[in-house]
Amino acid sequence: MAASMCDVFSFCVGVSGRAPVAVEVRFVSSAKGKGLFATQLIRKGETIFVEQPLVAAQFLWNALYRYRACDHCLRALEKAEENAQRLTGKPGQVLPHPELCAVRKDLHQHCPHCQVMYCSAECRLAAAEQYHQVLCPGPSQDDPLHPLNKLQEAWRSVHYPPETASIMLMARMVATVKQAKDKDRWIRLFSQFCNKTANEEEEIVHKLLGDKFKGQLELLRRLFTEALYEEALSQWFTPDGFRSLFALVGTNGQGIGTSSLSQWVHACDALELKPQDREQLDAFIDQLYKDIEAATGEFLNCEGSGLFVLQSCCNHSCVPNAETSFPENNFLLHVTALEDIKPGEEICISYLDCCQRERSRHSRHKILRENYLFVCSCPKCLAEADEPNVTSEEEEDEEEEGEPEDAELGDEMTDV
């Protein structure tokens, strides 16, 4: 039951507001599955497409630690100065050029029943129309015995920061189908994402939940069923079906990051200033980030993940010709060309960050195998095929220092 291309492209808009016409999805191989290909010349720097996720959700620990984001589109809700004050731990922190902050608090709205916040009336209505009627806990928002709160607490108890997934992404998938008039269309769309074998699914679940994953997965399935059972999706609630759903989210979830402070910094970079004023502003921003690192560490953004149909068709390369970003400070994903892409050429992004792409072929393969369950055969990996299968001394030192193996993967949440 495959989704039509009209269904796939219905969540994308081109820069001009039209569906993208420069790409098409093709079957590549049994190993790689689908791929995204250019149908016309795409110039370096061009936005190839902009895509809205089928569903998105903020990470639960991220929300608990007061990273305030729109409950629908994940747009950061704090003013840039408020964001800086919280991240530095300095209530008196003042930012110059406050007029550059793009946050519009006068547009914010909350659900009248459960009080969750949205950046606008449009997002509140979109959430209500798609999934929030099912998920709204009403006055039980803070009741620890509410089925959804029990599910979320169970998730937080087994999946700690740095977070890479959320049980609420799965909950919104179910709620979307529950509310939909055309349930089959949404089931078709969710079925587009890549499937894994039973053994591969277990590896993904193990990666997300740790050594005791089987018992934890069964607890989550029981709570998930108690809170959300839907007859049209009965297979998702069986042990095998829930494992498959879990693996789908773990494999295909694209990280989303938003930050009002980052938006303010980008706006400052665009200012035309005298050399002395530019030097002062740059020094202020550099010190601000040092203060944030000392107080908060690496957790700067409102973070979550989403399921993007077209982006999920982009295969990995260690020498990508395109990259993903979230420049609108919400869940709209932009895919931009890093070089000229010829008609018929595959559009590839990287699942690794810049530092990881500079590692040895062995180390890159180790990260990709453990997190995405495939062996890369991109041009860079093929060219380095004769290299020894060992990790460099520098990389071994990093691993000994405790860097998490899945830290900052290619669906990284930067460039917001």
Side-chain angles (χ1 to χ4, degrees):
M1 187 165 53
S4 69
M5 290 310 295
C6 289
D7 279 338
V8 171
F9 284 120
S10 66
F11 290 86
C12 299
V13 292
V15 179
S16 62
R18 296 178 290 106
V21 295
V23 298
E24 67 178 6
V25 178
R26 298 182 196 164
F27 177 77
V28 179
S29 67
S30 56
K32 293 181 72 172
K34 295 174 291 189
L36 193 67
F37 291 80
T39 58
Q40 62 190 49
L41 178 63
I42 301 171
R43 293 292 185 186
K44 178 180 179 179
E46 282 187 16
T47 298
I48 303 171
F49 63 87
V50 180
E51 184 176 12
Q52 177 177 323
L54 300 185
V55 287
Q58 187 177 6
F59 292 148
L60 292 179
W61 280 106
N62 190 259
L64 190 68
Y65 283 122
R66 297 186 299 115
Y67 288 76
R68 295 178 55 235
C70 173
D71 197 59
H72 182 63
C73 78
L74 275 68
R75 184 184 298 277
L77 297 178
E78 290 178 306
K79 287 278 192 179
E81 190 167 271
E82 294 174 324
N83 195 199
Q85 290 168 352
R86 178 173 57 78
L87 292 175
T88 59
K90 298 178 179 179
Q93 177 71 62
V94 176
L95 297 185
H97 304 289
E99 73 282 358
L100 297 181
C101 176
V103 174
R104 292 283 307 278
K105 287 199 168 188
D106 56 308
L107 299 179
H108 295 179
Q109 293 196 3
H110 60 262
C111 169
H113 307 293
C114 69
Q115 308 305 311
V116 297
M117 290 298 296
Y118 299 97
C119 67
S120 63
E122 289 79 9
C123 275
R124 179 177 63 81
L125 292 171
E129 289 175 3
Q130 183 178 337
Y131 55 80
H132 190 65
Q133 293 175 51
V134 168
L135 297 179
C136 180
S140 300
Q141 171 77 352
D142 298 318
D143 179 1
L145 297 180
H146 187 279
L148 281 174
N149 289 336
K150 288 166 63 177
L151 177 65
Q152 292 179 75
E153 181 58 33
W155 174 259
R156 280 192 292 263
S157 72
V158 298
H159 189 67
Y160 294 96
E163 298 170 274
T164 56
S166 172
I167 196 76
M168 293 310 292
L169 194 65
M170 297 162 60
R172 289 188 178 182
M173 293 170 69
V174 173
T176 294
V177 174
K178 273 179 166 290
Q179 280 191 213
K181 293 179 180 177
D182 187 352
K183 297 183 189 301
D184 287 343
R185 173 178 178 264
W186 281 99
I187 294 172
R188 286 196 304 271
L189 283 165
F190 290 134
S191 72
Q192 290 299 291
F193 296 96
C194 69
N195 296 313
K196 301 291 184 182
T197 66
N199 286 340
E200 289 174 329
E201 289 173 353
E202 285 213 349
E203 287 187 52
I204 296 165
V205 175
H206 186 184
K207 186 73 178 178
L208 287 172
L209 298 183
D211 290 337
K212 298 179 181 178
F213 71 94
K214 290 186 178 179
Q216 292 165 341
L217 187 67
E218 179 55 28
L219 171 63
L220 289 169
R221 186 186 72 85
R222 181 172 57 77
L223 293 172
F224 194 76
T225 302
E226 178 185 332
L228 294 162
Y229 185 77
E230 163 62 37
E231 185 62 34
L233 297 169
S234 58
Q235 175 59 26
W236 285 6
F237 294 89
T238 66
D240 287 348
F242 188 68
R243 184 193 63 216
S244 295
L245 183 63
F246 213 96
L248 182 153
V249 169
T251 306
N252 295 281
Q254 161 71 44
I256 300 169
T258 64
S259 167
S260 55
L261 181 61
S262 177
Q263 293 291 104
W264 174 83
V265 170
H266 286 320
C268 286
D269 290 341
L271 287 174
E272 293 185 6
L273 299 173
K274 295 177 182 178
Q276 183 178 355
D277 294 337
R278 168 56 61 191
E279 186 176 338
Q280 288 179 347
L281 182 57
D282 289 347
F284 173 86
I285 292 172
D286 287 344
Q287 185 59 49
L288 179 66
Y289 275 113
K290 289 177 183 177
D291 293 343
I292 290 172
E293 184 177 8
T296 311
E298 64 185 54
F299 299 104
L300 303 183
N301 299 335
C302 299
E303 296 181 354
S305 63
L307 293 177
F308 297 83
V309 177
L310 201 57
Q311 175 271 339
S312 73
C313 297
C314 295
N315 286 310
H316 164 82
S317 173
C318 298
V319 279
N321 57 13
E323 66 177 355
T324 61
S325 63
F326 297 89
E328 298 186 47
N329 198 35
N330 62 10
F331 63 15
L332 289 178
L333 177 142
H334 289 232
V335 175
T336 307
L338 293 173
E339 59 188 52
D340 288 353
I341 303 174
K342 299 174 183 177
E345 188 176 348
E346 186 173 6
I347 297 167
C348 292
I349 59 177
S350 180
Y351 300 170
L352 305 175
D353 66 25
C354 296
C355 294
Q356 289 170 330
R357 291 201 296 273
E358 294 306 312
R359 289 184 169 189
S360 67
R361 173 178 176 270
H362 174 69
S363 295
R364 297 196 308 272
H365 279 202
K366 181 173 182 286
I367 296 169
L368 292 168
R369 257 196 322 271
E370 290 178 352
N371 293 280
Y372 299 100
L373 308 184
F374 72 88
V375 176
C376 183
S377 58
C378 73
K380 182 175 182 178
C381 288
L382 292 177
E384 297 173 354
D386 293 333
E387 289 188 358
N389 287 330
V390 294
T391 305
S392 68
E393 291 181 9
E394 292 82 359
E395 291 165 6
E396 287 176 350
D397 290 342
E398 284 181 8
E399 290 181 6
E400 287 173 5
E401 289 170 7
E403 181 188 10
E405 293 173 350
D406 59 349
E408 298 298 318
L409 290 175
D411 39 5
E412 62 201 91
M413 294 163 285
T414 52
D415 297 327
V416 296

